[in-house]
Amino acid sequence: ESKDDLFSAVISNACDPDDEAERAQMEALLEKPLRDVLLWAGMTAQSRLMDPDTIALMRTVIAGTSRFPGLAEMAHTSLVGNLEGMVAFMLGLKQETLGISAERRSELAVQFIDRLLGTHMLGVLMGLPGPSTQQQQERAEIAADALIAALGQPLSAER
């Protein structure tokens, strides 16, 4: 009915992919150690955010925020909040994190996604090449290890 509705539909579609293969892969991964699950989540999050369509959408959002004041918040909640929710959901299913409150799992998920974004994301938005797969893997490992350390669990048990 309006441009706000159009933006909402486009952002929702881009941020919440209905990918059965990805969902099946996530379910299979939940049987693996927490670090493996977090590495997959880290690589998936970076892949989604570095996707050319997502970058184009983010650029459109940046350009449109002066005319559509709620657009930035809606896009951030959909893009980043969706990824944080995915990580918090997975933490809720792992044995290592069952005793942790939902609020703490959400905090850990926010910190995890925050570690993945870094300055690479700003560079990509400005048209610079994104990080290599190796750099993305390293960033995912750092984020996973930091989350596990925050749980007070030894890293060596996960490797």
Side-chain angles (χ1 to χ4, degrees):
E1 294 181 23
S2 69
K3 285 187 179 182
D4 283 340
D5 292 337
L6 177 61
F7 275 130
S8 179
V10 169
I11 290 169
S12 178
N13 187 48
C15 300
D16 193 15
D18 189 21
D19 187 340
E20 288 296 323
E22 184 178 291
R23 202 172 287 125
Q25 185 179 18
M26 184 172 74
E27 287 177 18
L29 268 169
L30 288 173
E31 301 299 320
K32 294 188 177 198
L34 178 60
R35 188 169 191 274
D36 291 349
V37 172
L38 292 172
L39 290 175
W40 177 85
M43 294 301 287
T44 298
Q46 291 178 88
S47 174
R48 282 187 191 172
L49 290 172
M50 303 281 176
D51 181 84
D53 290 338
T54 303
I55 297 299
L57 177 61
M58 285 192 271
R59 288 176 180 152
T60 302
V61 167
I62 291 167
T65 55
S66 61
R67 292 186 322 217
F68 303 99
L71 185 59
E73 185 176 340
M74 177 180 45
H76 185 271
T77 299
S78 295
L79 286 166
V80 178
N82 184 289
L83 295 171
E84 292 167 350
M86 174 185 73
V87 173
F89 174 76
M90 290 188 312
L91 289 175
L93 298 176
K94 292 301 294 171
Q95 185 66 35
E96 301 93 330
T97 55
L98 287 179
I100 297 173
S101 71
E103 182 179 341
R104 180 64 179 143
R105 287 192 306 268
S106 291
E107 289 171 2
L108 290 168
V110 167
Q111 293 168 7
F112 179 80
I113 296 299
D114 189 48
R115 284 185 176 93
L116 294 173
L117 297 181
T119 57
H120 284 126
M121 195 70 227
L122 182 58
V124 170
L125 284 171
M126 290 189 283
L128 298 174
S132 68
T133 301
Q134 178 62 34
Q135 290 169 321
Q136 290 179 35
Q137 181 69 30
E138 289 168 3
R139 190 174 290 271
E141 289 173 0
I142 290 167
D145 290 346
L147 191 151
I148 292 167
L151 296 173
Q153 297 181 358
L155 295 176
S156 60
E158 292 295 322
R159 290 188 178 179

